[in-house]
Amino acid sequence: MTDDDRIKLEPSWKEALRAEFEQPYMHELREFLRQEKAAGKEVYPPGPLIFNALNSTPLDQVKVVILGQDPYHGPGQAHGLCFSVQPGVATPPSLVNIYKELHRDLNIEIPRHGCLQSWADQGVLLLNTTMTVERANAASHANKGWQFFTDRIIQVVSEQRSDVVFLLWGSHAQSKSKLIDGTRHLILKSVHPSPLSAYRGFLGCGHFSRTNKFLEERGLAPIVWQVPAN
């Protein structure tokens, strides 16, 4: 994660975030991850997928940002896209509710899998604000430095892009609204899609249709929210 040739990162993001990789917090984070692995701890997602959100959605193609908090901490789940799981893995409860709202809002057929790669490929930045986690230990890597890096990602999108829709679900995501220029972008807020809170306003929020309406009004292609069958 230090030298340019060791950072496997999509070029536009690499350029925008170059200075971050030399910050003291990043050196500390790198050492923390090295020690965790040396201690025999499993860290998710696998190393090549930590930056999957950035590698899948180049900076100049970002149209929508969805913020998650923490990668899934079960084996084989996390692959670097928030709310998404790898093919063949059971759809997690929060994503089940996202699919329910998509069906209610846009009459989209509920997929049989939970891989959201097709969204990322269309310009939906699926960003977890903490980018790694220890197996079976939720939030174990929170406040280890990732928050500074992902805050900068949010700022870069706000500064360098225009007409982006930010979907902030839950209090953690909403706390990042201060990093976003609301005069340049659309910020939509709701409770989290978790089963603990979804019934208090996420189900019925209409964020997906509102996102596409905003994009279309600005001459941008809407997001095809229907996840492919395979």
Side-chain angles (χ1 to χ4, degrees), residues 49-64:
L49 293 176
I50 290 174
F51 295 129
N52 191 21
L54 302 177
N55 289 330
S56 296
T57 312
L59 175 57
D60 61 2
Q61 295 177 26
V62 175
K63 296 159 73 174
V64 180

Side-chain angles (χ1 to χ4, degrees), residues 81 115-124 223-228:
L81 305 178
C115 182
L116 304 180
Q117 186 69 47
S118 68
W119 293 4
D121 294 341
Q122 295 178 74
V124 181
I223 303 300
V224 178
W225 296 108
Q226 179 69 65
V227 173

Side-chain angles (χ1 to χ4, degrees), residues 17-93:
L17 300 170
R18 189 181 303 277
E20 296 303 302
F21 288 96
E22 299 308 321
Q23 295 295 322
Y25 79 80
M26 187 59 84
H27 292 289
E28 293 167 11
L29 174 59
R30 187 160 48 244
E31 180 59 20
F32 165 74
L33 292 172
R34 189 193 66 77
Q35 291 179 4
E36 291 289 280
K37 292 176 182 177
K41 296 180 180 179
E42 281 190 66
V43 174
Y44 301 141
L49 293 176
I50 290 174
F51 295 129
N52 191 21
L54 302 177
N55 289 330
S56 296
T57 312
L59 175 57
D60 61 2
Q61 295 177 26
V62 175
K63 296 159 73 174
V64 180
V65 177
I66 299 178
L67 291 182
Q69 191 162 353
D70 200 36
Y72 295 120
H73 52 78
Q77 288 183 301
H79 65 129
L81 305 178
C82 73
F83 294 107
S84 179
V85 290
Q86 304 206 59
V89 176
T91 304

